[in-house]
Amino acid sequence: MRCLILRLEGPLMSFGDTAIDEIRPTRLLPGRSLLAGLIGNALGFEHRDVNALQRLQERLLFAARLDQAGEDLLDYQTALIGKKDPIWITRGHYDERGGGTWEKEAKTGRDVQTVQRYRHYRANSKVTVAMTLDPPDEVPDLEAVQLALERPERPLFIGRKGCPPSRPIFDRVVEADSLVAALDQLGGEGRIETEALETEPAGRRLQVADRRDWRMGFHAGLSQRRVLREGTP
């Protein structure tokens, strides 16, 4: 199996987890949709290229290892919104805001309210990823992904636009019998999450909500993982 090794490092990263209202947590390790979006951005895909992004996500196989846990960082945000300010919803059209308690803004006379948002990040974390594509000969292939990560069409970020990497994301190419074996070639210890495939080592099974419906514009699917080396560094 031919694998690309990616290094995800930066002052801040965000590996989105299941969100409730405006509380946006982060996992310790990246999910399928994050990596598909990262690679798609490097390749120059646009938001409207939903079929290409969906297919890239379907082909993606990966294992991720937590090399440095870092710390959880919470960014508390507030925003003043107007009742008549349009919002873009996931169904693909504008809608009006409703609910909540609205007050008259003295200066403008608008109906407004303050909304609160809680954004979680990983600070000073380090993650190594071994990834491949199945089938390998479909476009884009691994060589195209490698070249895109080395010379991306746009600046790359890890989870959110305020999370630029602190080092080149592409590290090297390795040949291995499994995704975990590809990680083991680099040395290091730490929690590993890998695909629930027969070729991967046995481990505790985990369901992760990390599949995005790129056509509809929201997350709507689970992935099966095997967890190895439960402890974190």
Side-chain angles (χ1 to χ4, degrees):
M1 179 190 298
R2 185 166 176 259
C3 299
L4 302 186
I5 301 298
L6 314 182
R7 301 281 193 175
L8 305 183
E9 299 180 13
L12 292 177
M13 297 186 284
S14 181
F15 304 132
D17 202 354
T18 303
I20 300 175
D21 196 23
E22 289 298 337
I23 300 174
R24 305 300 171 91
T26 176
R27 302 186 70 247
L28 290 170
L29 292 168
R32 192 174 308 278
S33 61
L34 182 145
L35 291 175
L38 173 68
I39 294 167
N41 191 32
L43 288 164
F45 290 176
E46 304 283 349
H47 283 292
R48 62 178 176 270
D49 298 326
V50 292
N51 291 329
L53 287 163
Q54 192 72 42
R55 183 56 182 158
L56 180 61
Q57 178 178 264
E58 291 168 356
R59 296 172 59 210
L60 181 62
L61 299 173
F62 73 98
R65 185 183 67 206
L66 184 62
D67 296 319
Q68 181 171 299
E71 299 177 356
D72 184 69
L73 185 147
L74 172 61
D75 184 19
Y76 171 68
Q77 304 173 351
T78 62
L80 187 69
I81 61 171
K83 189 172 185 179
K84 294 186 179 298
D85 292 344
I87 56 174
W88 181 264
I89 66 173
T90 55
R91 295 299 192 276
H93 60 82
Y94 285 104
D95 202 353
E96 291 187 359
R97 301 178 185 273
T101 302
W102 300 90
E103 299 178 355
K104 289 290 184 184
E105 188 178 31
K107 185 175 181 180
T108 64
R110 296 188 307 156
D111 290 325
V112 296
Q113 66 174 258
T114 299
V115 297
Q116 302 174 86
R117 298 188 175 98
Y118 301 84
R119 301 282 195 266
H120 289 260
Y121 296 84
R122 298 305 304 173
N124 299 315
S125 179
K126 295 182 181 180
V127 173
T128 302
V129 174
M131 61 145 293
T132 192
L133 296 172
D134 183 34
D137 54 353
E138 190 175 318
V139 176
D141 60 13
L142 276 180
E143 183 178 0
V145 172
Q146 174 186 338
L147 293 173
L149 290 172
E150 290 178 319
R151 298 178 65 89
E153 290 290 325
R154 306 185 196 91
L156 302 181
F157 50 90
I158 306 174
R160 295 193 179 113
K161 291 181 180 178
C163 302
S166 59
R167 56 155 293 162
I169 288 177
F170 172 73
D171 186 76
R172 69 189 75 177
V173 179
V174 300
E175 295 283 344
D177 293 331
S178 71
L179 295 163
V180 171
L183 289 176
D184 286 343
Q185 287 187 31
L186 283 71
E189 292 290 333
R191 176 191 175 103
I192 290 179
E193 292 180 8
T194 188
E195 304 287 347
L197 301 172
E198 292 183 359
T199 54
E200 297 301 306
R204 180 175 67 87
R205 283 186 173 267
L206 177 72
Q207 279 192 333
V208 180
D210 71 341
R211 291 181 183 269
R212 181 176 178 83
D213 186 328
W214 294 91
R215 300 179 182 93
M216 295 299 293
F218 56 86
H219 283 75
L222 300 174
S223 293
Q224 293 284 340
R225 294 273 199 278
R226 285 180 179 165
V227 182
L228 290 70
R229 304 175 194 168
E230 296 277 352
T232 59

